């Protein structure tokens, strides 16, 4: 369980350590952010800027005629009477045909650009800036071929000549008069022309007229582009945006028109022209509809007038030839009686349906709540019956309310039930009697209706003929008068037609800052990208780096105690206390020596073995400086070069004579191999003559005898050994060591190598094992503040250190 927790801890990410590493690379962030912000500045400065142009309109109803005229003739087709779908109006405003009609009113076929010399020639096409003020004018020959939708570059080469350059991967060559053209691929055409004279070619034909107050120079570098009205319509259709001012308000009729334009005046002119064309087309449509209505009504009136004359003539002819003059009065009396009887019949049938329905509900107790009062059905002849029904409804209502709170045996419930039952009986009796009476009345009325119909059928044939002719005449007269009224209304509507658009805000720029490019967003994005790139670099480098880079990381990888951290020092330095006695690196060796003496206060722990995992981690450097530090403290110290395979101790001390191998082979005595150094109390044993198999020497009895004699002479013995990752020399010498130091180098030692040391430490195969963290940078010094602060502490000696490093001064070492 503990091991799993340790592994989990090892796999974690130390946020504070990571932040420290990021902070150590501050210069990368400054450089990256600066470059990206500068790139954003270049982009924002030289790219073509587009401003948002906006206008708003109020869309009235689509009715024909003004609202005032509609009120005069009482016509419903007014502004309020017509349902308007804003989505349809948005579709009209953004339609290709309407935009094309608006562009036909404008001179947008030629677009002039200034060629920015800041950009290389191969990308200038993408950084053209449209302009409205230019020192020349291009007049086209519409009968000749022209390159459309392709920039035509014009650059002055003298005060009278210019160079034409047309380049395009796929150029469209078009004759505007015939509307015929062709495609030219990989076009790269250059030619010269003269100002004020026709320029003719297979790809362009025009005249360039200079302004009177302008003199051509090398700065004259412009281009222009020709566009078909169809292409412009599609382009502006994509750029135009029409939205309701408030989409949530169903009564809203205000539309907002928006477009992005590099030239504000062009955008303003386009929107205003579009609104004018939209308004004109709406009014024209109204006028057309009104005119069509008047023409249609005229035709219908003409037809009805002819029919009306014919009916009038027929009626007058029949009356003059017939002796019946009072047919209208007689027939009116019969028809009036018949209508009265039919109304009475309808009323009786309504009463009977009500009585039968009520009787059915009375007999069905479950549907008693569906009974309605007679007055609700239009029956008011019998007030007593109405009161009984109303009382019965109230009693049932009270019973339903009590059923939720009272028990069935409640006296009040029983009393109400009795009253409701007696009322129901009275109603049933009354309804039964009424049904019999009303049925008899209905039968009598039916007989009378039948008799009147027979009397009508018995009228003379001439009377019936007169009735038919009169009816036809009246019918034509009503239709004719109706059409005359409609025609008058249509003519008034046509005369008072008005456009259905009211401009709320004319087209104008919606702000002073361009929308493209978005200056604040681009700078913010540049800052973010400038921060992300170095951050990603630091994170990737940290995640892919499998070396030890800080103290906490070292502690996560191994449980071996950390004796000390050796600060990073100047390159090429050997014995730090000799040249930089007050430096941070010298103090770190002193700190390691003090820790070692604190952990091992026994005088018997004298022999210190120093090794590492691989070559290059600084075990020789640490051995020599640790031994010098012991000597400086007044302890008799001996440094033994036990790395007989690749000895480097001679780089630190001036060694001559026999060494360790010579003594073990019995060539010399122990005193012959001990060499004094320039440091007081510090002696060194050199490696001696190289050997093919050093392990045999380390296993000899002379090695044990040597260490036994040396323990009696010295307070501390530091033995530098080969790396344990390559050979087994260290493990052969291990039995002679009281203390074992394993050197780990900053950003050099691999994390995976430490697993072997962990196993040796966990299984107690190496006693008194400690780590020395060598060449530590300041960013990895968490927990050892004396390292990061030592430079400031010894600031007063910086001048002396500088003199020593340059050879212009010398600090006396008291241990020499």
């Amino acid at each position: 369980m503990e091991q799993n927790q340790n592994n989990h801890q090892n796999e974690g990410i130390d946020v504070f350590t990571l932040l420290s590493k990021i902070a150590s690379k501050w210069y990368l962030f400054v450089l990256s952010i600066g470059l990206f912000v500068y790139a954003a500045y270049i982009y924002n400065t030289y790219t073509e800027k587009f401003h948002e142009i906006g206008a708003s309109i109020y869309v009235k109803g689509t009715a024909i005629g003004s609202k005032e005229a509609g009120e005069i003739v009482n016509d419903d087709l007014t502004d309020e009477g017509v349902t308007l779908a804003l989505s349809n109006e948005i579709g009209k405003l953004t339609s290709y045909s309407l935009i094309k009609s608006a562009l036909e009113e404008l001179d947008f076929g030629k677009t002039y650009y200034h060629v920015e010399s800041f950009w290389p020639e191969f990308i200038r096409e993408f950084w053209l800036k449209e302009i409205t003020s230019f020192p020349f004018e291009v007049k086209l020959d519409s009968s000749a071929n022209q390159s459309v939708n392709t920039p035509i570059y014009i650059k002055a080469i003298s005060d009278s000549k210019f160079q034409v350059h047309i380049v395009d991967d796929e150029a469209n060559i078009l004759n505007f008069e015939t509307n015929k053209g062709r495609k030219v691929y990989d076009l790269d055409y250059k030619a010269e022309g003269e100002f004020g004279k026709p320029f003719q070619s297979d790809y362009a034909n025009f005249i360039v007229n200079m302004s009177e107050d302008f003199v051509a120079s090398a700065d004259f570098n412009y281009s222009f582009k020709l566009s078909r009205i169809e292409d412009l319509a599609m382009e502006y259709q994509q750029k135009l945006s029409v939205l309701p001012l408030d989409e949530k308000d169903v009564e809203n009729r205000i539309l907002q028109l928006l477009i992005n334009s590099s030239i504000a005046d062009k955008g303003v002119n386009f929107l205003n022209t579009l609104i004018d064309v939209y308004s004109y087309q709406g009014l024209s449509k109204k006028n057309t509809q009104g005119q069509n209505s008047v023409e249609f009504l005229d035709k219908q009136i003409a037809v009805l007038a002819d029919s009306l004359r014919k009916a009038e003539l027929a009626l007058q002819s029949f009356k003059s030839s017939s002796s019946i003059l009072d047919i209208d009065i007689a027939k009116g009396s019969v028809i009036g009686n018949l209508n009265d009887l039919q109304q009475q019949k309808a009323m009786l049938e309504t009463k009977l349906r009500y009585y039968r329905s009520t009787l059915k509900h009375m007999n069905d107790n479950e549907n008693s709540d569906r009974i309605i009062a007679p007055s609700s059905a239009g029956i008011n002849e019998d007030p007593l019956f109405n009161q009984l029904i109303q009382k019965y409804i109230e009693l049932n209502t009270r019973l339903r309310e009590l059923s939720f709170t009272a028990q069935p045996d409640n006296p009040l419930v029983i009393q109400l039930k009795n009253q409701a039952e007696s009322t129901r009986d009275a109603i049933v009796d009354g309804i039964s009697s009424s049904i019999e009476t009303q049925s008899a009345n209905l039968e009598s009325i039916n007989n009378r209706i039948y008799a009147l119909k027979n009397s009508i059928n018995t009228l003379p044939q001439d009377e019936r003929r007169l009735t038919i002719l009169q009816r036809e005449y009246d019918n034509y007269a009503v239709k004719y008068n109706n059409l005359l009224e409609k025609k008058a209304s249509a003519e008034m509507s046509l005369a008072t037609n008005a456009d259905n658009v009211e401009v709320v805000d004319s087209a104008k720029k919606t702000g002073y800052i361009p929308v493209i490019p978005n200056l604040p967003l681009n700078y913010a994005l540049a800052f973010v990208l400038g921060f992300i790139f170095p951050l990603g670099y630091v994170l990737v480098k940290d995640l892919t780096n499998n070396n030890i880079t800080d103290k906490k990381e070292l502690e996560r990888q191994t449980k071996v105690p950390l004796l000390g951290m050796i600060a990073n020092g100047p390159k090429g330095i050997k014995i730090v206390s000799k040249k930089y006695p007050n430096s941070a690196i010298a103090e770190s060796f002193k700190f390691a020596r003090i820790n070692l003496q604190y952990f091992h206060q026994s005088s018997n722990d004298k022999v210190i073995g120093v090794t590492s995992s691989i070559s290059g981690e600084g075990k020789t450097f640490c051995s020599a400086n640790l031994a010098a530090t012991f000597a400086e403290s007044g302890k008799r110290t001996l440094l033994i070069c036990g790395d007989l395979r690749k000895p480097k101790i001679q780089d630190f001390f001036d060694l001559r004579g026999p060494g360790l191998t010579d003594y073990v082979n019995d060539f010399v005595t122990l005193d012959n191999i001990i060499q004094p150094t320039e440091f007081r109390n510090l002696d060194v044993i050199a490696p001696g003559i190289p050997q093919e198999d050093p392990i045999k020497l380390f296993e000899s009895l002379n090695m044990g005898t040597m260490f036994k004699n040396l323990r009696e002479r010295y307070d501390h013995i530091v033995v530098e050994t080969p790396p344990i990752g390559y050979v087994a020399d260290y493990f052969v010498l291990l039995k002679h060591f009281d203390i074992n130091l394993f050197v780990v180098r900053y950003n050099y030692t691999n994390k995976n190598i430490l697993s072997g040391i962990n196993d040796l430490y966990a299984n107690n195969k190496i006693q008194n094992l400690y780590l020395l963290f060598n060449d530590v940078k300041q960013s990895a010094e968490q927990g050892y503040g004396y390292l990061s602060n030592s430079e400031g502490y010894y600031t007063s000696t910086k001048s002396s250190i500088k003199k020593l490093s340059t050879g212009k001064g010398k600090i006396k070492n008291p241990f020499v």
Side-chain angles (χ1 to χ4, degrees), residues 560-561 730 740-742 757 760-761 766-771:
V560 179
Y730 179 82
N740 298 276
L741 299 183
F742 187 84
I757 292 297
L760 294 175
Y761 180 78
I766 300 180
Q767 301 294 326
N768 298 328
L769 178 62
Y770 302 95
L771 298 180

Side-chain angles (χ1 to χ4, degrees), residues 177-195:
E177 284 190 356
T178 62
N179 201 28
K180 294 181 180 180
R182 70 183 192 278
K183 289 185 180 294
V184 177
Y185 297 94
D186 299 325
L187 175 61
D188 191 355
Y189 172 76
K190 288 185 178 181
E192 293 183 1
E194 294 186 41
F195 292 110

Side-chain angles (χ1 to χ4, degrees), residues 10-11 21 539-550 553-554 557 613-614 617 744-755:
N10 293 342
E11 295 175 358
K21 293 177 182 179
L539 292 177
V540 170
K541 184 178 179 181
D542 181 71
L543 293 175
T544 56
N545 186 9
N546 205 32
N547 297 333
I548 301 297
T549 55
D550 61 74
E553 189 174 36
L554 178 62
Q557 296 297 326
S613 58
I614 56 176
E617 293 177 310
V744 176
R745 186 173 180 179
Y746 170 84
N747 201 24
Y748 189 89
T749 303
N750 193 284
K751 300 175 185 177
N752 299 328
I753 294 178
L754 295 177
S755 59

Side-chain angles (χ1 to χ4, degrees), residues 723-785:
I724 63 175
Y726 294 143
V727 293
D729 297 13
Y730 179 82
F731 295 100
V732 176
L733 294 171
L734 185 61
K735 60 184 178 181
H736 301 294
F737 300 153
D738 302 317
I739 301 171
N740 298 276
L741 299 183
F742 187 84
V743 179
V744 176
R745 186 173 180 179
Y746 170 84
N747 201 24
Y748 189 89
T749 303
N750 193 284
K751 300 175 185 177
N752 299 328
I753 294 178
L754 295 177
S755 59
I757 292 297
N758 289 334
D759 293 339
L760 294 175
Y761 180 78
N763 297 325
N764 294 323
K765 293 182 179 180
I766 300 180
Q767 301 294 326
N768 298 328
L769 178 62
Y770 302 95
L771 298 180
L772 266 183
F773 197 7
N774 184 33
D775 196 27
V776 178
K777 303 296 189 298
Q778 182 174 349
S779 60
E781 296 166 1
Q782 294 89 347
Y784 281 73

Side-chain angles (χ1 to χ4, degrees), residues 483-759:
L483 286 178
L484 289 177
E485 292 178 359
K486 288 186 176 181
K487 180 184 176 182
S489 176
E491 288 176 341
M492 181 174 289
S493 297
L494 181 61
T496 59
N497 265 345
D499 60 72
N500 63 332
V501 176
E502 179 182 336
V503 178
V504 178
D505 284 321
S506 299
K508 61 182 179 181
K509 289 198 298 186
T510 59
Y512 297 100
I513 301 176
V515 292
I516 300 175
N518 190 325
L519 305 183
L521 178 63
N522 288 344
Y523 282 119
L525 184 62
F527 183 86
V528 172
L529 291 177
F531 183 82
I532 288 177
F533 272 82
L535 178 63
Y537 167 77
V538 172
L539 292 177
V540 170
K541 184 178 179 181
D542 181 71
L543 293 175
T544 56
N545 186 9
N546 205 32
N547 297 333
I548 301 297
T549 55
D550 61 74
K551 170 183 172 286
K552 290 185 178 180
E553 189 174 36
L554 178 62
E555 291 176 342
R556 288 198 301 268
Q557 296 297 326
T558 179
K559 293 300 181 181
V560 179
L562 179 61
L563 182 67
M565 300 174 67
I566 309 303
N568 172 260
K571 292 184 178 180
I573 188 174
K574 300 302 180 182
I575 305 299
V576 295
S577 60
K578 179 180 179 181
K579 285 191 175 183
Y580 307 116
N582 295 324
S583 64
I585 185 172
E587 290 300 315
S588 60
F589 276 110
K590 292 178 183 178
F591 190 84
R593 185 258 300 171
I594 293 173
N595 279 345
L596 194 59
Q597 290 178 341
Y598 176 78
F599 292 143
H600 297 275
Q601 300 178 6
S602 173
S603 60
N604 295 325
D605 296 337
K606 294 183 176 183
V607 184
I608 304 171
V610 182
T611 186
S612 64
S613 58
I614 56 176
S615 178
E617 293 177 310
K619 59 180 180 57
T620 305
F621 174 79
C622 292
S623 300
N625 281 278
L626 186 61
T629 303
F630 275 119
E632 288 176 355
S633 66
K635 302 294 182 179
R636 294 172 301 165
T637 307
L638 176 65
L639 174 62
I640 301 176
C641 179
D643 188 355
L644 304 182
R645 301 176 186 270
K646 290 184 179 181
K648 296 180 181 179
I649 199 68
Q650 62 274 8
D651 297 336
F652 291 79
F653 302 97
D654 185 13
L655 302 178
R656 295 178 180 84
L660 179 62
T661 59
D662 301 309
Y663 169 77
V664 177
N665 288 322
D666 291 328
F667 296 151
V668 293
T669 63
L670 182 61
D671 293 331
N672 294 132
I673 64 173
I674 298 175
Q675 302 183 45
T677 66
E678 57 182 321
F679 290 90
R680 185 187 303 170
N681 298 325
L682 177 60
D683 297 332
V684 178
I685 295 179
I689 300 174
Q691 301 291 314
E692 294 181 358
D693 190 5
I695 292 181
K696 290 184 179 180
L697 295 178
F698 293 151
E699 291 177 338
S700 64
L701 295 176
N702 287 343
M703 287 295 295
T705 302
M706 181 189 71
F707 277 108
K708 181 179 179 182
N709 293 329
L710 291 176
R711 286 176 180 273
E712 296 176 356
R713 297 188 184 186
Y714 294 96
D715 297 319
H716 296 286
I717 302 170
V718 179
V719 183
E720 181 220 358
T721 65
I724 63 175
Y726 294 143
V727 293
D729 297 13
Y730 179 82
F731 295 100
V732 176
L733 294 171
L734 185 61
K735 60 184 178 181
H736 301 294
F737 300 153
D738 302 317
I739 301 171
N740 298 276
L741 299 183
F742 187 84
V743 179
V744 176
R745 186 173 180 179
Y746 170 84
N747 201 24
Y748 189 89
T749 303
N750 193 284
K751 300 175 185 177
N752 299 328
I753 294 178
L754 295 177
S755 59
I757 292 297
N758 289 334
D759 293 339

